[in-house]
Structure formats: C-alpha cells, structure tokens
Amino acid sequence: MRWRYAAVAGLAGLSLVAGCASDGGSTAASATSSAAPSTANATAAHASAPIVTTPVPPPPDPFAGPSQDVNAAVVAGRYSFTSPDGAFRCAIVSASGAHAGGATCQGTTAPIPPRPATCAVAQPWGDGMQVDDSGRVGYLCGTLPPAESAPIVADSVIHALGFTCVAHAGSTYCRDDVSEHGFRIAPDSHAVF
C-alpha cells in the first residue's frame, strides 16, 4: 500500500510537475514574455517619450532694415557705393545693349575658386562677386571701372534698378529682386544664395 501511495503520490507529483511544466512553460514563456515586454515596454516607453525641442529662431533677414530707394541717384544707369568698412566698392547697373543689368561688389575675399576657362589669364579673377538680372551669381573676371561712390550707412538697404544691396559690419549682400538670388561677400568668406 505504501508503494501505491508512493506511486499515487508520485503520479500526483508528476501531475503537479506536469502542471508546473505546463505552467512552467508559461512561466518560462512568462519569464520570456515578461523579459520581452519589459524590453518592448522600455522601447515603447523610449519611443513614446515626448521629444523636447528648443525652437531656434530663424536667422535674421540680412535685407531687413531701413530702406532707401536710390533710383533717383542713378547716374547714367549706374548707382555706386562703398561698404561702410571700405572693403568693397559696389555698383548696381541697368541693362544696356548686350550687357545684363547687375549688382557687383569688388574687393578681396577668400577662398577664391579655381579660375574658369572663360576668364582670360590677363584678367584679374575672383576679386569680387556679382549677380545679374537673370539671377546668375558668380565671381568677377576683370575689374569695375572707377566710379564716384560714397560709403553707405551700415545696415541701410539700397533698392535700385531691380536689385537690393545692404552692407552690414563686415559683410555686403546683393540680390536680384525677381529671382532673389544673390551673394554675400566679406574679406574672409563669401556665399551664394
């Protein structure tokens, strides 16, 4: 009888173990599941965590400022000015014959790109930048003819002949008003937009 109880107890134990095994399977699955959900929960928690962003104000518009329409000061289809620091001599010219209208600033800037084949070796290269009335922007090949020009007041915006220019401390900007393409030029840098 003892053996029977032992056998019955053993069978009961097996049932219990089997139950545990099936529970253990779910316990194992639970352990696996609980490990996976905690990873999933951590991932979900990470993914659902609010993203905090700090708004960055847009860069200031270089062409914002007191505006001057200087078309009345255009002499022979040209308006000339010098940047406040004297580093750049600029001109806004109207279209004439085969020549496009444009805004040009001449002065030393760096770095200068390689000379294109279209600029003759005898011509100075890269001593300034220009934008024409079709919105093309490039470096000067040649020099501006001398012209009377007065320094402009820093940060004042000049509108003439379909172009807008402004000279800030250290940088001069010019653009074609229709395309809004133009350039920024400074002694140690330059950009096209």
Side-chain angles (χ1 to χ4, degrees):
M1 207 49 164
R2 255 185 175 176
W3 185 81
R4 278 190 191 167
Y5 284 137
V8 171
L11 285 175
L14 281 177
S15 303
L16 188 58
V17 170
C20 286
S22 71
D23 285 349
S26 54
T27 305
S30 288
T32 306
S33 298
S34 69
S38 63
T39 305
N41 288 342
T43 304
H46 177 68
S48 65
I51 296 172
V52 179
T53 58
T54 304
V56 177
D61 178 1
F63 294 98
S67 186
Q68 308 174 49
D69 183 350
V70 294
N71 280 310
V74 171
V75 176
R78 177 187 186 102
Y79 179 80
S80 299
F81 65 93
T82 303
S83 63
D85 59 4
F88 296 97
R89 195 176 79 225
C90 303
I92 299 172
V93 298
S94 61
S96 169
H99 298 286
T104 304
C105 287
Q106 183 175 349
T108 304
T109 186
I112 298 172
R115 178 189 295 270
T118 56
C119 185
V121 176
Q123 294 282 358
W125 165 247
D127 189 23
M129 297 181 78
Q130 62 189 357
V131 58
D132 70 16
D133 54 15
S134 69
R136 286 183 303 217
V137 182
Y139 296 88
L140 284 182
C141 176
T143 58
L144 290 172
E148 290 292 321
S149 62
I152 63 169
V153 176
D155 303 327
S156 63
V157 181
I158 296 171
H159 298 286
L161 304 170
F163 295 89
T164 300
C165 293
V166 62
H168 296 290
S171 293
T172 300
Y173 295 78
C174 288
R175 73 175 179 207
D176 167 50
D177 290 338
V178 174
S179 69
E180 295 190 351
H181 291 192
F183 64 85
R184 177 190 61 78
I185 191 166
D188 60 352
S189 65
H190 44 79
V192 171
F193 53 89

